[in-house]
Amino acid sequence: MAAGDAQRVWFPEMIAELTRVWSTAMTWEALAALCQRVTEQRRAIRQARGIQPPLMRCRRCGTVSRSDIPGVSVRSALFVLRKLNLVSEVEFKALDRSWMKHRQATGVDAYGREPSTSEPGGDGCSGSGC
């Protein structure tokens, strides 16, 4: 494992996929689907390279376990697009505002998914005492 890979969020392969598929004409639904594909790509990269998620301690029950690596949010993708100069600062701000309005209007989460019922342990606790 290369130094820093455990903390890396965006691997070069993920950035290549984002830049290959990105278009200013892309809908929010299409960008959310792309973020999901990139999230799966990150999981596969981490698994192939043997990169373990960090250990976390539950504040409620004290159980120590591996944390779940969160997915790639739409806003995270927008920040990467800005960093790579694929969108200007003005375009980024407009897209960011538009994304927030879209989220409010549709009720989707940060990943572009419809809200679902809360799953057990959805607060990050996997301990049986919670």
Side-chain angles (χ1 to χ4, degrees):
M1 169 173 53
D5 274 357
Q7 291 80 26
R8 186 178 301 245
V9 175
W10 284 90
F11 290 94
E13 301 92 331
M14 297 165 57
I15 292 172
E17 177 70 7
L18 179 65
T19 58
R20 183 182 68 78
V21 178
W22 165 250
S23 164
T24 55
M26 188 175 269
T27 66
W28 290 122
E29 292 77 14
L31 183 55
L34 173 59
C35 289
Q36 182 59 39
R37 287 194 311 272
V38 172
T39 296
E40 293 304 320
Q41 189 177 21
R42 179 174 59 197
R43 286 188 181 126
I45 291 168
R46 291 179 70 89
Q47 184 176 16
R49 296 180 186 174
I51 303 170
Q52 295 292 319
L55 289 172
M56 302 296 286
R57 179 179 306 276
C58 175
R59 292 182 191 177
R60 293 194 306 185
C61 70
T63 302
V64 176
S65 62
R66 296 268 178 209
S67 67
D68 186 26
I69 301 296
V72 174
S73 69
V74 171
R75 194 159 190 240
S76 174
L78 294 175
F79 276 100
V80 170
L81 291 168
R82 179 182 68 177
K83 184 177 181 179
L84 296 172
N85 293 320
L86 295 173
V87 296
S88 68
E89 185 66 27
V90 172
E91 290 171 317
F92 168 78
K93 288 179 180 178
L95 286 167
D96 194 34
R97 281 191 300 272
S98 176
W99 170 240
M100 293 304 156
K101 287 179 184 177
H102 175 76
R103 282 191 63 197
Q104 286 179 338
T106 60
V108 297
D109 67 7
Y111 307 98
R113 298 179 302 223
E114 295 292 326
S116 61
T117 57
S118 180
E119 297 177 10
D123 61 354
C125 182
S126 59
S128 58
C130 293

